[in-house]
């Protein structure tokens, strides 16, 4: 059985995951508008992943006999700057999410809620991957140094991402 406090904290994280999904979808639309189809595809898949993260927590709450309470999702911006700035924003967002996941994990540990700790372990591992991916793309974009031809090659490379 989830404590009321843990349930509230997990519900808040569902909203944050859906907000991340919405944010990355807005970034994807922005990139597509700028004709960066590869970046757009990568971000759209990332948006889908974030939705799935929210649904993992949604399922966890229901499986534990809790109540899912969905909140309003904050509207994302529609302008994100250069491709480098887009991915710097992705990294900054993921770093913020990592901190929130760590706080949730600490709360679950404090409450000796082992089932939630095990569920959150997946998120802790996922955040390592998410930050690494964003850092890698930023490093590549910095090498590109805004030369358009190289940007197009990188855009094609990201466009090869498959599901998951
Ligand atoms: Fe749900 Fe990108 O972390």
């Amino acid at each position: 059985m989830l404590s009321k406090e843990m349930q509230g904290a997990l519900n808040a994280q569902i909203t944050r995951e859906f907000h991340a999904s919405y944010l990355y979808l807005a970034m994807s639309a922005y990139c597509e508008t700028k004709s960066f189809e590869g970046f757009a595809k990568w971000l759209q898949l990332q948006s889908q992943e974030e939705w799935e993260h929210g649904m993992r927590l949604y399922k966890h709450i229901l499986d534990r006999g809790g109540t899912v309470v969905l909140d309003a999702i904050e509207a994302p911006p529609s302008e994100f700057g250069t491709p480098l700035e887009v991915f710097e924003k992705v990294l900054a967002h993921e770093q913020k999410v990592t901190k929130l996941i760590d706080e949730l994990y600490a709360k679950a540990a404090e409450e000796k809620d082992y089932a939630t700790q095990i569920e959150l372990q997946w998120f802790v591992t996922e955040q390592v991957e998410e930050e690494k991916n964003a850092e890698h793309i930023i490093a590549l974009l910095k090498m590109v140094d805004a030369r358009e031809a190289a940007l197009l090659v990188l855009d094609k490379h990201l466009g090869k991402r498959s599901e998951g």
Side-chain angles (χ1 to χ4, degrees):
M1 182 77 186
L2 280 173
S3 73
K4 282 279 170 240
E5 205 183 324
M6 197 70 234
Q7 178 178 290
L10 290 172
N11 269 310
Q13 188 59 29
I14 291 177
T15 304
R16 292 190 200 108
E17 298 290 348
F18 289 167
H19 173 252
S21 175
Y22 220 33
L23 176 65
Y24 296 155
L25 188 61
M27 288 177 174
S28 176
Y30 172 79
C31 287
E32 191 152 340
T33 303
K34 301 280 178 195
S35 296
F36 286 121
E37 290 180 358
F39 296 145
K41 181 181 172 190
W42 193 97
L43 287 159
Q44 193 175 334
L45 288 171
Q46 193 60 34
S47 168
Q48 282 169 19
E49 274 196 12
E50 298 300 349
W51 185 266
E52 285 158 19
H53 296 173
M55 290 308 292
R56 277 185 84 106
L57 296 170
Y58 171 104
K59 185 170 185 309
H60 178 74
I61 292 174
L62 294 178
D63 286 350
R64 302 283 307 286
T67 305
V68 167
V69 182
L70 298 177
D71 206 346
I73 303 172
E74 189 192 328
S78 54
E79 289 281 333
F80 297 96
T82 63
L84 175 59
E85 284 167 338
V86 170
F87 283 93
E88 281 174 340
K89 286 175 179 128
V90 170
L91 177 60
H93 192 79
E94 289 304 327
Q95 287 167 337
K96 203 163 75 181
V97 172
T98 298
K99 197 163 170 287
L100 293 163
I101 294 290
D102 288 351
E103 284 169 12
L104 274 177
Y105 191 93
K107 184 187 282 298
E110 189 189 320
E111 289 191 11
K112 296 190 168 53
D113 179 346
Y114 300 112
T116 299
Q117 281 178 65
I118 289 166
E119 179 62 33
L120 289 172
Q121 266 170 21
W122 183 90
F123 283 84
V124 171
T125 306
E126 177 71 4
Q127 283 311 119
V128 172
E129 192 63 25
E130 301 268 86
E131 286 193 31
K132 185 180 123 191
N133 289 342
E135 279 165 359
H136 178 63
I137 296 166
I138 288 168
L140 293 176
L141 281 163
K142 282 185 174 165
M143 282 183 225
V144 162
D145 195 27
R147 281 171 296 167
E148 297 303 316
L151 264 181
L152 288 174
V153 171
L154 180 55
D155 182 54
K156 268 206 168 24
H157 171 66
L158 291 195
K160 288 190 184 132
R161 176 179 173 170
S162 56
E163 300 280 338

